[in-house]
Amino acid sequence: MTESSLIEVKNLKKYYEISQGLFKPKLVVKAVDDVSFSIKRGETFALVGESGCGKSTTGKTLLRLTDATSGEVRFKGEDILSLPYEKMRSLRKEMQMVFQDPYASLNPKMTIRQILLEPLRVHKKYSPEERMKKIVDILEIVGLSRSHLDRHPNEFSGGQRQRIGIARAVVLNPDFIIADEPVSALDVSVQSQVINLMLELQKEFGLTYLFISHDLSVVEHMTDRVAVMYLGKIVELADTEELFANPKHPYTQALISAVPVSHPKDVKERIVLKGDVPNPANPPSGCTFHTRCPFVMDKCKSVEPSLTEIGNGHITSCHLYSKNKEENINAIIYS
Amino acid sequence: METNTVTTTNQQIDLLVKKKSGFKDFFRKLSRSWTGMLGFSLIILLLLLSVFGGLIAPFDPMDAPLRERLLPPLTDGHILGTDQLGRDILSRIIAGTKVSVIIGLATALLAGLIGTVVGVIAGYFRGWIDVVLMRIVDVQLSFPFILLVLVISAVLGAGLTNIVISLALAGWVVFARVIRSEVLAIREKEFITAAIATGVPKFEILFRHILPNIFTPIIILVSLQMGTYIIAEASVSFLGFGVQPPTPAWGNMLNEGKDYIFSSWWLITFPGIAIIITTLGVNLFGDWLRDTLDPELKGE
Amino acid sequence: MTEVLLEIKDLGIQFKTGEGAIQPIRGVNFTLKKGETLGVVGESGSGKSVTSLAVMGLLPEKKSKIVSGSILFNNEDITHLNERQYRKLRGNEMSMIFQEPMTSLNPVFTIGEQLGEPLKQHKKMSKKERKEAIIKILKQVGIPRAEQIINDYPHQLSGGMRQRVMISLALLCEPKLLICDEPTTALDVTIQAQILELMKQIKAEKNMSLLFITHDLGVVAEMCDRVVVMYAGEIVEVAEINELFDNPLHPYTKGLIDSLPTNNARKSKLYSIKGQVPKPDEIGKGCAFANRCPYAFNKCVESAPPTFSKGEHLSKCWLQESDRQVNIQ
């Protein structure tokens, strides 16, 4: 862990218990299972994966919007998972969130003025006059104007609402923003506007982003490092360019190959995975991907691979690349 | 399958229509529904009668010239006839409007207040307090409503204030149930998560984010429950526990008239019609309000 | 020349709203040939879904009205059919797959019961024959354990499986026309790849015509032979798929293609179309795209462009007027 990292996540776990009835044992769903990564100041770190892989839960746990089962989240060196309520509340001015659904994430009964003033008010930042100036400034930065202040969210289009959501997150001048699928609910022509806005804001305010997305082309365009998640675990982590040029884990390879082409003449070598994502309440043994993996070996079914570095910060958890001799030996014994 | 598509398109069409608010919009929407219009007109009539009734009543509702007792309708200027004490029935019905309106409105507001507070506490804080409050609600809901009203008013004694209190004490559970489930639904909305992420303190989330969003169901429920309370008041008064004679109330008019049901039908018929029309008006308006403000509840 | 299965001529659809009527579909023209996959691309509010619902006769009756034009299916105008005549057509001659497989399946019936319904309606079959037909079609769409799945309820299946069931439901009576309204938008990428693969394969086997509605240009590039681009209730461009990507004639199409992240250098500012889609009541007399168009000139604001053709390539843009013929590359 380098000194420049803004947030460090260590062995984060989030388990849900599902009760199945009075006399049956509780089912444990490992939504986030032993996830570790760190995000450097000023970078955009992506969490990618399909629905149910735990990427959004990871994001919410980081901000304590849901309670972690165990693990550590260090923000500027301080473990925030154990902070008391009032301290955590006050720390929220430094870490903000942009949500996926711009229709659900703005209170329909509030005006834009109320929505944007609220963060400043609850954190007692600035005097009332300065607050007004500040929200008008931010509204202009995100491409809206003063005349929108007294309108309600339902008078705006999806793209405009997402701009309001971004303005709400940025108005406190936070260091860190978690963006959970910020453009996937938007129209194509509006998506690029919002991505541009996020890139601009990053430059202007020196923001650090955790960008959660399933859209790989957007991830490739705007992030610095990527972690790929599958069934609650990180299966591969690398610099963005490295990951897209040289994906190692078979799941990452399949994921990248599944992205639709950008021109009809592009012919893609497509790896079409068999079957569906397994039920997270009953994950497969060994490597959880083995049920769909085109390169499955015997030991994948029984031994869980660990994350191994395969050069220059590129890590993956797959037996194809495991160097650990001991593990190899164990694998042979078990299989 | 097909119905689903049609609803999505309907929603899309609704989205295309610019939303307007205010009174103009209210009347525009009201004018499209004849049931809503009828309900609204009846309520306005009721309110006017309860305020200005004294001015248009042909006789003093308390004046009892015994010589003119049990006059049938349309005799000597008594349009709806007179009762066993010679009091003008029309004037008494008009005067009774005031009692019904006051009781319906006051009870609905009081029950709504208690129920909302309980429902919000249970729904927002969850945990043991939710369990305790909801079990109380369950127990109370297993008693017949009217029986409970009678028991409470028997303890409190008769009188306008006491009947309002006993109706509200018996009726708040309905509000508590509905409001709790509304709060539970709102709690899970993403804008609440967004408020937590912003760092809004717990109580501010409750007052600024949750309460404004359950205002609509509260209004709808108040209007729908009013009808129930007006009938309940009439029933209780009919049984002699409610508003005491000689104060004119529709319930005790029925009570007093029941002995003459075979000889002088008008004693019991006209107050009965008044109750029916009032409840109908309140319910029609409440139904329309629900359908307009909360289209998802339609048909329930 | 191949036979035409579906022809839409000058279609206009009006919606009644509280403040009067709006017309979200204006003068839509296109043809779908037999065995062809035609993509309909557009953003929300472009009218692509409304057009498809009109073809299926599923427009909400009280609120909407076809005010002009005709829809010819097998050379027969179907805009005047009544509900009973339409019911014979739907599910039998034409079917539709929706974006949300969960809401399109009835939660209280098993998969087998839902799949049996159209067979009961349109085909004379014994109970046993029906069951066999259902299992066969479920296997065709790649559902494992089909014999058990027919006794399952929709919520017991994953999103990808549900969409497969929807596809099998649509295919049951071997329709000539299959309308797919954003069939993979709600699915994950790896599942989307599976479903697209499946649809290509089925289409090749059954020689159906596909009307493929989507906002995703990548999916269009993979699936379609020809593309119709819609904007604000109008068709702005029609072209063969390669021609559309290589040589878009309408600035809107070009903007859409250019704003794909893969067509921009990493970390650079993405090309983007400024502004947003106008609401139906905001469209003036000129071109609906004029206020967002980087090439707009006076004429664009003054009057709406007609359709110009360059061979098979049609576009509705003043830049393509014969004396102008601007290349926007």
Side-chain angles (χ1 to χ4, degrees), chain C residues 10-267:
Chain C
D10 190 36
L11 184 67
I13 296 171
Q14 208 172 55
F15 282 168
K16 260 180 249 152
T17 71
E19 277 103 59
I22 50 167
Q23 193 168 347
I25 301 289
R26 286 161 292 126
V28 163
N29 281 295
F30 66 81
T31 57
L32 174 63
K33 296 174 194 128
K34 280 191 178 151
E36 183 186 42
T37 303
L38 179 69
V40 180
V41 186
E43 300 177 275
S44 52
S46 64
K48 55 188 196 308
S49 292
V50 176
T51 308
S52 65
L53 289 176
V55 174
M56 290 292 286
L58 290 176
L59 287 173
E61 258 172 59
K62 281 181 191 158
K63 285 190 177 175
S64 60
K65 204 169 97 192
I66 294 180
V67 286
S68 71
S70 56
I71 301 171
L72 299 177
F73 182 74
N74 269 334
N75 293 320
E76 192 190 338
D77 190 358
I78 55 173
T79 46
H80 305 295
L81 295 190
N82 61 29
E83 182 56 31
R84 254 187 73 190
Q85 289 166 311
Y86 241 123
R87 222 175 291 149
K88 265 188 201 152
L89 220 54
R90 278 199 297 257
N92 198 17
E93 300 269 305
M94 50 169 78
S95 308
M96 188 158 176
I97 303 172
F98 298 94
Q99 174 175 354
E100 239 335 304
M102 191 61 204
T103 52
S104 317
L105 289 168
N106 190 331
V108 300
F109 292 115
T110 64
I111 301 302
E113 284 164 345
Q114 312 210 19
L115 286 172
E117 200 51 41
L119 289 178
K120 268 190 217 163
Q121 296 269 345
H122 301 295
K123 299 258 147 97
K124 284 194 181 100
M125 277 184 174
S126 72
K127 212 176 165 189
K128 206 178 147 215
E129 279 171 330
R130 264 211 303 275
K131 196 179 163 190
E132 276 164 10
I134 291 168
I135 291 175
K136 191 174 147 223
I137 197 105
L138 284 176
K139 283 187 173 156
Q140 262 178 16
V141 296
I143 290 182
R145 305 184 297 114
E147 291 84 355
Q148 284 124 53
I149 294 277
I150 54 170
N151 296 321
D152 281 358
Y153 289 90
H155 71 267
Q156 292 171 288
L157 305 180
S158 67
M161 279 299 167
R162 275 184 223 129
Q163 198 57 294
R164 281 172 197 271
V165 169
M166 281 307 295
I167 293 174
S168 66
L169 185 63
L171 292 178
L172 264 179
C173 296
E174 311 221 333
K176 298 190 184 87
L177 169 66
L178 181 60
I179 300 178
C180 312
D181 189 358
E182 306 262 8
T184 58
T185 307
L187 304 176
D188 282 319
V189 265
T190 61
I191 308 297
Q192 166 171 294
Q194 290 175 354
I195 298 286
L196 292 182
E197 204 66 27
L198 172 72
M199 295 183 70
K200 273 187 209 168
Q201 178 204 328
I202 287 171
K203 203 210 117 199
E205 279 170 18
K206 313 238 160 177
N207 196 32
M208 288 182 301
S209 301
L210 245 61
L211 191 62
F212 205 97
I213 294 152
T214 180
H215 69 277
D216 189 334
L217 280 173
V219 173
V220 167
E222 297 215 352
M223 293 294 296
C224 303
D225 305 316
R226 278 194 314 133
V227 188
V228 167
V229 182
M230 289 190 75
Y231 182 79
E234 286 179 315
I235 290 185
V236 294
E237 186 158 7
V238 182
E240 190 268 330
I241 180 80
N242 287 309
E243 168 74 8
L244 186 90
F245 277 81
D246 290 335
N247 189 21
L249 291 181
H250 198 282
Y252 175 65
T253 316
K254 184 172 156 47
L256 280 187
I257 295 171
D258 286 350
S259 61
L260 290 177
T262 35
N263 290 339
N264 286 264
R266 224 177 83 75
K267 287 273 178 185

Side-chain angles (χ1 to χ4, degrees), chain A residues 1 16 24 47 49 76 86 112 116 118-119 121 128 146-147 174 186 191 258 262 275 304 322 331:
Chain A
M1 303 284 152
Y16 291 99
K24 287 182 187 159
L47 274 182
K76 295 180 175 171
E86 197 47 44
I112 305 313
L116 293 180
E118 181 166 65
R121 197 193 65 240
R146 181 191 283 271
S147 64
L186 305 178
Q191 267 190 14
S262 54
E304 195 186 320
S322 103

Side-chain angles (χ1 to χ4, degrees), chain B residues 2 4-5 9-10 13-14 17, chain C residues 15 53 60 63 90 98 103:
Chain B
E2 284 166 18
N4 273 324
T5 357
T9 348
N10 279 339
I13 295 169
D14 288 341
V17 185
Chain C
F15 282 168
L53 289 176
K63 285 190 177 175
R90 278 199 297 257
F98 298 94
T103 52

Side-chain angles (χ1 to χ4, degrees), chain A residues 30-44:
Chain A
K30 299 178 176 179
V32 178
D33 193 12
D34 207 357
V35 161
S36 303
F37 58 89
S38 70
I39 304 173
K40 296 181 205 128
R41 240 172 230 281
E43 83 170 339
T44 304

Side-chain angles (χ1 to χ4, degrees), chain B residues 7-277:
Chain B
T7 35
T8 33
T9 348
N10 279 339
Q11 281 160 4
Q12 282 167 355
I13 295 169
D14 288 341
L15 283 176
L16 290 172
V17 185
K18 259 195 259 160
K19 294 219 167 127
K20 279 189 184 167
S21 50
F23 281 107
K24 233 181 176 176
D25 187 49
F26 174 82
F27 283 111
R28 193 175 52 77
K29 282 183 178 155
L30 190 61
S31 67
R32 277 198 238 142
S33 153
W34 69 268
T35 49
M37 203 65 195
L38 180 65
F40 184 70
S41 316
L42 285 173
I43 288 181
I44 294 295
L45 179 74
L46 215 61
L47 286 176
L48 289 177
L49 279 180
S50 67
V51 178
F52 302 109
L55 301 177
I56 55 166
F59 294 90
D60 179 353
M62 307 293 268
D63 189 25
L66 280 172
R67 258 172 296 130
E68 293 172 21
R69 63 196 292 266
L70 295 174
L71 288 180
L74 300 173
T75 34
D76 297 344
H78 297 288
I79 298 171
L80 300 181
T82 58
D83 68 3
Q84 75 283 3
L85 299 176
R87 297 174 295 195
D88 181 51
I89 291 187
L90 178 63
S91 305
R92 284 182 71 76
I93 287 179
I94 291 174
T97 315
K98 191 182 255 165
V99 174
S100 286
V101 167
I102 289 175
I103 286 179
L105 207 63
T107 311
L109 291 179
L110 185 60
L113 184 71
I114 303 172
T116 304
V117 170
V118 171
V120 164
I121 290 174
Y124 187 59
F125 294 103
R126 304 296 309 276
W128 63 268
I129 190 149
D130 180 26
V131 176
V132 171
L133 289 173
M134 282 306 115
R135 289 305 81 78
I136 294 174
V137 168
D138 286 342
V139 169
Q140 184 167 334
L141 276 174
S142 60
F143 283 98
F145 177 64
I146 283 294
L147 191 66
L148 204 63
V149 177
L150 288 179
V151 171
I152 301 173
S153 47
V155 174
L156 293 178
L160 202 66
T161 323
N162 284 346
I163 181 78
V164 167
I165 293 174
S166 35
L167 280 170
L169 284 181
W172 64 274
V173 282
V174 177
F175 284 88
R177 261 281 171 84
V178 176
I179 297 305
R180 173 178 173 272
S181 66
E182 287 291 330
V183 172
L184 285 181
I186 299 284
R187 241 173 75 105
E188 301 304 319
K189 289 272 164 72
E190 203 162 66
F191 64 82
I192 300 297
T193 317
I196 300 171
T198 305
V200 182
K202 276 181 189 162
F203 277 92
E204 265 194 59
I205 290 182
L206 183 57
F207 286 107
R208 284 181 182 266
H209 292 273
I210 292 184
L211 280 183
N213 280 292
I214 56 169
F215 194 64
T216 306
I218 294 178
I219 293 292
I220 295 168
L221 210 54
V222 162
S223 70
L224 286 176
Q225 285 296 102
M226 253 173 72
T228 314
Y229 298 141
I230 289 174
I231 292 188
E233 178 271 322
S235 317
V236 175
S237 297
F238 175 77
L239 294 170
F241 286 90
V243 181
Q244 294 302 306
T247 313
W250 297 341
N252 56 32
M253 285 171 79
L254 286 180
N255 183 22
E256 292 164 0
K258 70 175 189 295
D259 300 334
Y260 304 88
I261 188 164
F262 294 111
S263 53
S264 316
W265 55 269
W266 55 92
L267 257 61
I268 200 159
T269 308
F270 294 115
I273 291 174
I275 293 173
I276 292 171
I277 290 177

Side-chain angles (χ1 to χ4, degrees), chain A residues 191-202:
Chain A
Q191 267 190 14
S192 52
Q193 295 173 358
V194 171
I195 292 170
N196 285 343
L197 173 65
M198 289 186 67
L199 288 171
E200 274 164 38
L201 290 172
Q202 183 167 40

